[in-house]
Amino acid sequence: QVRLVESGGGLVQPGGSLRLSCAASGIIFSIGPMGWYRRAPGKERELVAVIGIGGNTNYGDSVKGRFTISRGNTKNTLSLQMNSLKPEDTAVYYCNAEITSRGRRNEYWGQGTQVTVSS
């Protein structure tokens, strides 16, 4: 069974930094694009950042210049470096990936990790 597990969330003061990680496990043949999404209370889920298999990246307008997405050397891991955090970045952050397993390609989501930016 394929799983995505996030880690690294927590409470941080405005202007601070956090690093989120996501690890894919299970019977995996290949992983396509991976990304981070977030959902704040009372709001719809929004794109934070995505990264393709070639390393091309795309960021949501609200995080450009502050967040950096990267894939690990093993290609089964994903990170999000978040700098200059603002209270409006408070949300549950979800890891997402397109994964081919047992001959089938599906979209997978992690369980989410809470990020709270507050003084």
Side-chain angles (χ1 to χ4, degrees):
Q1 180 178 1
V2 174
R3 295 181 63 202
L4 295 176
V5 179
E6 302 102 334
S7 61
L11 173 65
V12 63
Q13 292 186 343
S17 299
L18 276 178
R19 186 176 182 87
L20 303 183
S21 297
C22 173
S25 63
I27 300 176
I28 296 172
F29 177 75
S30 65
I31 302 179
M34 302 181 77
W36 291 96
Y37 293 77
R38 68 187 183 187
R39 186 190 298 272
K43 296 186 177 181
E44 295 186 354
R45 185 178 64 199
E46 66 171 341
L47 168 72
V48 176
V50 294
I51 184 167
I53 57 176
N56 51 302
T57 58
N58 187 35
Y59 293 90
D61 289 340
S62 62
V63 306
K64 285 180 180 177
R66 300 187 297 123
F67 290 10
T68 303
I69 189 172
S70 61
R71 298 178 74 143
N73 292 332
T74 64
K75 306 299 183 185
N76 283 15
T77 57
L78 180 71
S79 296
L80 183 70
Q81 178 65 42
M82 304 185 295
N83 299 327
S84 302
L85 283 160
K86 305 175 181 180
E88 50 265 42
D89 294 318
T90 295
V92 178
Y93 285 69
Y94 297 92
C95 177
N96 170 270
E98 293 181 12
I99 297 175
T100 299
S101 174
R102 301 179 185 271
R104 301 186 66 175
R105 185 180 180 92
N106 289 302
E107 182 179 38
Y108 293 88
W109 292 89
Q111 81 287 352
T113 185
Q114 176 70 46
V115 172
T116 302
V117 185
S118 175
S119 55

